[in-house]
Amino acid sequence: MKVCVFGASGYVGASVYKRLKDKEALEVSGTYLDEPPLFDDLIKLDINEPESFSDYYKSENPDVVVWSVMDGPNEHELTDNGLINLITFLTPATKLIYISSDFVFSAGKGPYKEADPLSTLPDDHVYSTYANAKVKAERLINHELSNYVILRAGPIFGENKIGKLDERTDKLSYHLRSGKAIAFRDDLIRTFVNVEDLAGTIVQMVENDQVGTYHTGSGETKSYYEFMSATAEQLGFNPNMVEKASEYEEADHEIPKNTALNTGKIAKIMK
Ligand SMILES: NC(=O)c1ccc[n+]([C@@H]2O[C@H](COP(=O)([O-])OP(=O)(O)OC[C@H]3O[C@@H](n4cnc5c(N)ncnc54)[C@H](OP(=O)(O)O)[C@@H]3O)[C@@H](O)[C@H]2O)c1
């Protein structure tokens, strides 16, 4: 079976790529964009660029594609160009595994189940680019494809397979090592997901016949403040160094409050 990982140099993609590479039965290729690539055998590809995308895709002709690509301020381009390039080439025989986000529920009134309606943010909202591009991507996939898995994730944390930490934990540990307190909001409720658990889920989805939309994570729902205090303690720091951040925000900077994900559906099918 041939598998392509788009975004194999990224935080999640690197773990997925490495785990898949360890499986002898699979023929795995991966892409990167910015130099230097994390692994020597990755292929440079701008997924938004139709001609190079076509050349890459035709040469690989995969059975499974993993989408682990993200480009915050240009996320719309990834959906409008990159994802559409991909959908043009996908046949029903090829399975797409697309990593989506809890921000498709930007109304922030969770916890959410898979079938709950998605919501977008006003165009002038500071988070609209990412959230709305993910909503659009999910709708496109749902409309155009049948052989797909959408995995929605809340904040992804922990050390990945090549020893890289997520930015929040990195920042937390930098602050606490320097003896400085750090503050996180207690009114933002999320379902946090460990990067290695997510990578393991993706590998299982590559190998099994499951399709559809799933919420990922252990089901543990916490505020950022609660989660980061617990993380500080696990890292051997005094959790009291983690403080509650101000909840004041401008109208167009309002962060979705509760985007927690009910993960009961995936728990029933995962090993
Ligand atoms: N991190 C989170 O907390 C979180 C939460 C929910 C969902 N997600 C989703 O999880 C997936 C992986 O996120 P991540 O945290 O691993 O992000 P990441 O570390 O930023 O990795 C994303 C990768 O996308 C690649 N990329 C960006 N623009 C590209 C383009 N035009 N063509 C080809 N590749 C491009 C980058 O490649 P180079 O590095 O080679 O430039 C980068 O490595 C994304 O779909 C994201 O939306 C993440």
Side-chain angles (χ1 to χ4, degrees), residues 10-12 33-34 45-47 69-70 99 130 134 153-154 156:
Y11 173 53
V12 177
L33 181 61
D34 288 334
L45 175 74
D46 183 343
I47 208 165
V69 182
M70 175 161 81
I99 313 178
Y130 181 71
K134 285 294 195 192
I156 303 170

Side-chain angles (χ1 to χ4, degrees), residues 76 79 103 106 119-123 127-137:
H76 268 301
T79 300
F103 264 37
S106 55
S119 48
T120 53
L121 290 167
D123 285 343
Y127 294 109
S128 66
T129 310
Y130 181 71
N132 295 357
K134 285 294 195 192
V135 170
K136 190 170 178 187

